[in-house]
């Protein structure tokens, strides 16, 4: 019997069939990632129910039942006696105070110029492909703080009033939040790097001073630092000697954040292989060129998530300045609750929701930018 009577040999290519619907597209993705087992199915269903129970009321409050226009609390009072929706008309009415605090209305243009200069210099500095990086960095780190200081506080030369003086006591809202956060972020990074290098130094005095500084500031909460700088520090100064409360807060926040930044950078320095140090010294580099050209660039790239995490924490901790009588964004919102013109059951919820949105935008933006820089610098070490 011939083999061809038992086996059939295909002489033509079989027609190509599409993949089963159950393994491709959205259905395939859900079967693989959401319903691949009984346990995953239960977790998926519980997660959907939990998300629905949270998201649906939030959308109902923030968008569907919200009041967008109005002149006073009458517009936001619910007809059924409940809490009603978000009163965005109240946020719209108070928006200038939330952004500028009690800064004089006629001088608000100075704050707007500072905001515009800040964005104008920060955006090209944050874009890796933008040209003139050194010039941009000098303008942002050296020139901008001086210009912003005189614009915000005023400028008087002799008897000539170039810009009227505006006391920091009337600053508030987002202005105070950004001033404290940006100053703390910009100043704490180089100070933290110096402290990290000092802690790893072979010189006993520098090492001991760095360790004492770092451990002291890490050993006290930020609230204590703010309270000491605002209330206790003036008691130790000579009679008649004092300086601005905002400046005291800035110094306290910067030193506090620098201590944490130093430990983050130290972790990056410890992650650099010893061969990198030996290689740099083998080519004749001294300490500072070795650190500047070889070690620090690698160490800082390794700890980008930790650095940004410290920045985000510092930005959110600016709300603590309320305990020393300064009104940042959250404090300014809370102070508006005493206004009977907009007193409604939903006023507090709306104010805190607005603060949460603002803080989320800034913190999420910093987080996403750090992820972008990690991918740009290939610090993920993917295998």
């Amino acid at each position: 019997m011939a083999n061809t009577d038992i086996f059939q040999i295909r002489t033509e290519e079989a027609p190509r069939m599409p993949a089963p619907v159950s393994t491709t597209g959205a259905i395939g993705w859900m079967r693989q990632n959401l319903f691949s087992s009984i346990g995953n199915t239960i977790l998926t269903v519980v997660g959907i129910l939990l998300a629905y129970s949270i998201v649906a009321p939030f959308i109902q409050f923030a968008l569907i039942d919200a009041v967008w226009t109005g002149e006073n609390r009458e517009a936001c009072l619910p007809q059924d006696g409940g809490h009603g929706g978000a009163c965005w008309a109240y946020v719209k009415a108070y928006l200038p105070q939330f952004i500028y605090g009690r800064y004089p209305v006629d001088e608000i243009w100075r704050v707007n110029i500072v905001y515009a200069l800040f964005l104008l210099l920060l955006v090209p500095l944050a874009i890796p492909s933008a040209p003139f990086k050194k010039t941009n960095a000098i303008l942002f780190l050296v020139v901008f703080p001086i210009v912003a200081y005189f614009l915000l506080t005023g400028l008087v030369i002799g008897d000539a009033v170039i810009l009227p003086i505006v006391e920091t006591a009337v600053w508030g809202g987002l202005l105070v939040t950004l001033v404290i956060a940006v100053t703390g972020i910009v100043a704490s990074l180089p100070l933290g790097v110096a402290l990290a290098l000092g802690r790893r130094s072979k010189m006993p005095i520098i090492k001991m001073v760095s360790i004492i500084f770092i451990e002291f500031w890490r050993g006290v909460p930020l609230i204590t630092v703010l309270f000491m700088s605002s209330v206790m520090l003036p008691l130790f100064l000579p009679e008649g000697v004092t300086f601005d409360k905002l400046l005291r807060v800035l110094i306290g926040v910067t030193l506090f954040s620098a201590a944490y930044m130093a430990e983050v950078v130290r972790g990056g320095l410890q992650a650099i292989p010893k061969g990198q140090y030996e290689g740099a010294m083998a080519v004749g580099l001294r300490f500072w060129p070795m650190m500047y050209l070889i070690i620090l660039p690698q160490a800082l790239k390794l700890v980008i998530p930790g650095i940004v995490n410290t920045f985000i924490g510092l930005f959110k901790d600016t709300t603590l300045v309320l305990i020393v009588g300064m009104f940042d964004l959250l404090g300014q919102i809370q102070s508006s609750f005493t206004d009977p013109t907009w007193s409604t059951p939903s006023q507090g919820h709306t104010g805190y929701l607005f603060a949460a949105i603002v803080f989320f935008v800034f913190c999420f933006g910093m987080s996403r930018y750090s992820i972008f820089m990690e991918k740009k610098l290939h610090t993920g070490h993917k295998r």
Side-chain angles (χ1 to χ4, degrees):
M1 186 173 55
N3 290 336
T4 54
D5 296 334
I6 302 176
F7 304 104
Q8 181 181 1
I9 300 175
R10 185 187 296 276
T11 58
E12 297 178 354
E13 184 181 358
R16 297 184 179 182
M17 304 296 292
V21 177
S22 60
T23 61
T24 60
I27 296 178
W29 183 88
M30 287 191 293
R31 284 173 61 90
Q32 183 179 1
N33 296 280
L34 302 180
F35 305 102
S36 59
S37 64
I38 296 177
N40 284 346
T41 303
I42 294 174
L43 290 176
T44 300
V45 172
V46 172
I48 292 174
L49 292 176
L50 185 61
Y52 178 77
S53 64
I54 296 174
V55 174
F58 176 78
I59 294 176
Q60 185 76 25
F61 174 81
L63 299 177
I64 299 176
D65 294 339
V67 177
W68 301 90
T69 59
E71 299 297 330
N72 51 43
R73 64 190 297 270
E74 298 296 331
C76 298
L77 280 176
Q79 301 299 323
D80 56 358
H83 288 281
C87 184
W88 296 118
Y90 142 74
V91 174
K92 181 180 178 181
Y94 263 91
L95 192 59
Q97 291 194 28
F98 293 163
I99 296 177
Y100 308 106
R102 294 183 291 113
Y103 208 90
V105 177
D106 296 338
E107 307 296 331
I108 281 179
W109 61 271
R110 290 154 55 176
V111 183
N112 291 333
I113 290 179
V114 172
Y115 285 154
L117 289 175
F118 177 74
L119 291 176
L120 192 64
L121 295 174
L122 179 63
V123 170
L125 192 63
I127 299 176
S129 60
F132 308 112
K133 273 288 185 290
K134 289 186 178 179
T135 304
N136 197 351
I138 293 174
L139 290 174
F140 183 75
L141 298 176
V142 179
V143 178
F144 172 72
I146 299 173
V147 174
Y149 172 78
F150 286 111
L151 278 173
L152 293 177
T153 60
L155 177 61
V156 177
I157 302 177
D159 296 333
V161 179
I162 308 301
L163 292 172
I165 299 297
V166 179
E167 301 292 337
T168 57
V170 301
W171 297 14
L174 188 62
L175 174 62
V176 167
T177 298
L178 291 179
V179 167
I180 296 175
V182 173
T183 304
I185 289 172
V186 173
S188 66
L189 180 58
L191 186 56
V193 172
L195 288 170
L197 294 176
R199 185 159 190 168
R200 289 172 56 84
S201 174
K202 295 180 181 178
M203 301 176 68
I205 296 179
I206 294 179
K207 184 175 183 178
M208 184 61 66
V209 170
S210 300
I211 292 175
I212 293 174
F213 181 91
I214 293 172
E215 297 302 332
F216 171 77
W217 289 99
R218 292 176 66 201
V220 294
L222 181 57
I223 290 179
T224 305
V225 174
L226 297 175
F227 184 77
M228 287 289 294
S229 64
S230 177
V231 179
M232 299 300 294
L233 182 60
L235 300 179
F236 300 104
L237 295 176
E239 186 175 358
V241 176
T242 184
F243 52 93
D244 190 79
K245 181 191 292 187
L246 178 60
L247 179 59
R248 281 178 271 161
V249 169
L250 290 176
I251 294 174
V253 168
T254 300
L255 297 179
F256 182 85
S257 180
Y260 283 88
M261 186 63 67
E263 289 302 278
V264 173
V265 177
R266 187 168 70 92
L269 293 174
Q270 290 179 338
I272 303 300
K274 189 178 180 181
Q276 296 289 319
Y277 293 88
E278 295 173 346
M281 288 185 290
V283 297
L285 293 179
R286 294 182 179 274
F287 178 79
W288 288 111
M290 177 179 66
M291 286 297 168
Y292 177 72
L293 298 174
I294 306 296
I295 304 302
L296 279 178
Q298 299 182 71
L300 293 178
K301 282 194 296 183
L302 287 173
V303 295
I304 284 179
I307 292 174
V308 177
N309 191 44
T310 305
F311 288 165
I312 292 175
L314 173 61
F315 187 85
K316 291 187 291 187
D317 285 345
T318 57
T319 56
L320 295 177
V321 299
L322 182 62
I323 68 166
V324 295
M326 299 195 68
F327 293 91
D328 70 318
L329 176 62
L330 186 62
Q332 200 70 50
I333 291 174
Q334 289 179 326
S335 69
S336 69
F337 296 161
T338 58
D339 184 3
T341 305
W342 289 98
S343 179
T344 61
S346 63
Q347 184 188 21
H349 301 80
T350 306
Y352 288 126
L353 177 60
F354 175 73
I357 292 173
V358 174
F359 275 93
F360 176 79
V361 169
F362 280 95
C363 295
F364 184 71
M366 286 190 282
S367 174
R368 298 306 300 177
Y369 182 73
S370 79
I371 294 175
F372 166 74
M373 289 305 297
E374 285 182 51
K375 294 180 179 178
K376 181 72 177 177
L377 300 174
H378 302 290
T379 57
H381 301 286
K382 294 181 179 179
R383 297 180 178 177

